[in-house]
């Protein structure tokens, strides 16, 4: 007991959604974790037993939640949390840590956010299906990255479908249509000079309204999405081709190689030349 069973996801190049780690733990009485801050979303589902969650709200207030088997709880990036197993009936839980540009959108559809971190499935049976799907990640951690990312999409679909606080998405259809159109437009035109005004104009929306809706749906600003699109495509070209970096920068919307190198280093944590050497070494 009280020994966490953990597996890590080995692949980095998934932007929309990707897992980071997954596992389960059967805790000793009063075993606690935290106070701690996560860099990504961390969702726990309680298999058995009880415990307490002390969750810091955005305004600094601490909310206490007494939880038991058949419930889940979410920890958001940058949020301080502490959770403790019950003294008499300590919990056993399964967890998955994940993130990506679609992560916040999926969690909001399931009714989960920093101010509302508690998850309740509609039935015991559906909660058991959700639990088994989460355990699948740990039990199949050697499967291919694409397989595990696909399973994460299915898990999030179940998380939304089974939630008692599922949000009504009918009213979101129109705004989602425009945002999806914007995403496709950016993906098709990122290799040239492209402005937020142009994308908003393509969608026939006011720039400020468009920017707010884009960030709400995608989880980042249109400019941030454009930069990610350019840099991930540049990384792919550096990994798979021998094209000069200056040429790759120009193909990805950066006619100025210095600006490209600055943006790339900020995004990947190292200059393009160093990243390429490291990437080729891994492939070799």
């Amino acid at each position: 007991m009280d020994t966490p069973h953990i597996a890590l996801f080995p692949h980095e190049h998934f932007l929309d959604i990707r897992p980071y780690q997954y596992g389960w733990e059967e805790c000793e009485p009063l075993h606690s974790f935290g106070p701690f801050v996560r860099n990504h979303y961390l969702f726990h589902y309680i298999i058995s037993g009880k415990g307490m969650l002390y969750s810091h709200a955005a305004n600094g207030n601490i909310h206490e939640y007494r939880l038991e088997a058949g419930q889940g709880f979410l920890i958001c990036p940058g949020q301080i949390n502490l959770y403790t197993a019950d003294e008499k009936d300590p919990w056993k839980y399964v967890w998955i840590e994940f993130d990506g540009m679609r992560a916040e959108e999926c969690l909001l559809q399931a009714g989960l956010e920093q101010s509302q971190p508690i998850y309740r499935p509609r039935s015991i049976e559906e909660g058991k299906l959700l639990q088994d799907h989460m355990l699948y990640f740990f039990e199949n951690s050697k499967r291919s990255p694409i397989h595990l990312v696909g399973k994460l999409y299915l898990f999030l679909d179940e998380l939304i479908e089974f939630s008692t606080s599922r949000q009504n998405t009918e009213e979101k259809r129109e705004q989602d249509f425009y945002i999806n159109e914007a995403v496709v437009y950016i993906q098709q035109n990122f290799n040239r000079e492209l402005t937020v005004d142009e994308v908003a104009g393509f969608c026939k929306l006011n720039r400020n309204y468009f920017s707010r809706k884009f960030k709400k749906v995608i989880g980042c600003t249109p400019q941030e999405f454009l930069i990610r699109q350019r840099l991930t495509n540049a990384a792919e070209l550096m990994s798979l081709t021998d094209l000069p970096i200056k040429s790759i920068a120009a193909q990805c919307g950066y006619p100025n190689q210095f600006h490209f190198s600055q943006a790339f280093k900020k995004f990947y944590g190292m200059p393009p030349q160093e990243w390429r050497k490291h990437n080729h070494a891994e492939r070799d």
Side-chain angles (χ1 to χ4, degrees), residues 21-58:
Q21 60 151 307
Y22 17 78
W24 61 273
E25 184 171 4
E26 187 170 0
C27 298
E28 297 281 1
L30 297 179
H31 170 74
S32 64
F33 190 86
F36 198 76
V37 176
R38 289 283 178 179
N39 294 323
H40 313 289
Y41 292 102
L42 180 63
F43 180 77
H44 291 73
Y45 189 79
I46 305 166
I47 299 173
S48 61
K50 300 175 183 177
M52 290 288 298
L53 169 68
Y54 302 89
S55 179
H56 288 235

Side-chain angles (χ1 to χ4, degrees), residues 10 13 31 51 65 68 71 74 79 84 93 136 162 174 177 180 184 193 200 218 228 242 263 267 270:
H13 306 300
H31 170 74
Y65 302 92
E68 59 185 19
Q71 295 179 312
L74 175 71
Q79 182 183 16
T84 306
Y93 49 59
Y136 180 93
F162 299 163
E174 183 177 352
F177 169 79
N180 289 336
V184 172
E193 184 178 349
I218 302 300
R228 290 182 185 182
D242 293 319
F267 189 76
M270 63 181 72

Side-chain angles (χ1 to χ4, degrees), residues 39-275:
N39 294 323
H40 313 289
Y41 292 102
L42 180 63
F43 180 77
H44 291 73
Y45 189 79
I46 305 166
I47 299 173
S48 61
K50 300 175 183 177
M52 290 288 298
L53 169 68
Y54 302 89
S55 179
H56 288 235
N59 60 8
N61 293 335
I62 301 175
H63 298 283
E64 299 181 7
Y65 302 92
R66 186 174 299 277
L67 302 169
E68 59 185 19
Q71 295 179 312
F73 59 95
L74 175 71
I75 295 172
C76 293
Q79 182 183 16
I80 301 172
N81 278 271
L82 167 70
Y83 41 102
T84 306
D86 187 76
E87 182 176 9
K88 296 181 179 179
D89 187 15
W91 53 19
K92 175 182 178 180
Y93 49 59
V94 58
W95 75 81
I96 180 168
E97 183 177 4
F98 62 96
D99 214 329
M101 292 188 294
R102 312 293 301 201
E104 183 180 19
E105 174 192 357
C106 293
L107 291 167
L108 288 173
Q109 287 185 42
L112 290 169
E113 55 185 318
Q114 183 169 338
S115 61
Q116 174 33 52
I118 308 307
Y119 181 84
R120 297 175 179 84
R122 296 180 305 190
S123 67
I124 295 174
E125 293 75 19
E126 289 180 336
K128 181 64 166 55
L129 287 173
L130 197 69
Q131 165 192 308
D132 291 345
H133 205 147
M134 294 177 71
L135 287 169
Y136 180 93
F137 287 94
F138 176 79
E139 295 165 353
N140 295 271
S141 60
K142 301 301 182 183
R143 297 293 296 267
S144 72
I146 291 176
H147 177 86
L148 293 173
V149 169
K151 284 293 183 180
L152 180 55
Y153 274 110
L154 292 175
F155 161 71
L156 290 171
D157 181 64
E158 287 184 350
L159 191 75
I160 296 166
E161 180 68 24
F162 299 163
S163 176
T164 57
S165 55
R166 178 183 179 185
Q167 300 300 301
N168 183 0
T169 57
E170 291 298 319
E171 61 191 31
K172 291 173 73 275
R173 284 186 176 179
E174 183 177 352
Q175 78 176 30
D176 285 355
F177 169 79
Y178 286 116
I179 299 307
N180 289 336
E181 288 288 296
V183 166
V184 172
Y185 190 78
I186 291 172
Q187 290 172 336
Q188 292 177 342
N189 295 277
F190 71 88
N191 58 344
R192 63 173 179 81
E193 184 178 349
L194 185 63
T195 66
V196 176
D197 283 330
E198 179 183 336
V199 181
F202 172 78
C203 297
K204 298 180 173 58
L205 296 174
N206 171 273
R207 177 198 165 112
N208 291 335
Y209 175 83
F210 164 73
S211 295
R212 289 197 306 272
K213 294 300 180 183
F214 191 98
K215 185 172 183 178
K216 182 178 180 181
V217 173
I218 302 300
C220 65
T221 67
Q223 187 65 25
E224 289 170 340
F225 182 82
L226 173 61
I227 291 171
R228 290 182 185 182
Q229 191 69 40
R230 286 172 169 167
L231 295 178
T232 53
N233 276 270
E236 183 176 7
L237 286 172
M238 284 195 294
S239 177
L240 300 178
T241 76
D242 293 319
L243 289 170
I245 289 177
K246 183 177 181 180
S247 175
I248 290 174
Q251 288 187 40
C252 294
Y254 286 95
N256 185 309
Q257 186 177 348
F258 177 73
H259 292 161
F260 168 72
S261 296
Q262 282 187 317
F264 192 95
K265 184 177 180 180
K266 183 177 181 181
F267 189 76
Y268 282 100
M270 63 181 72
Q273 295 87 346
E274 183 181 344
W275 185 94

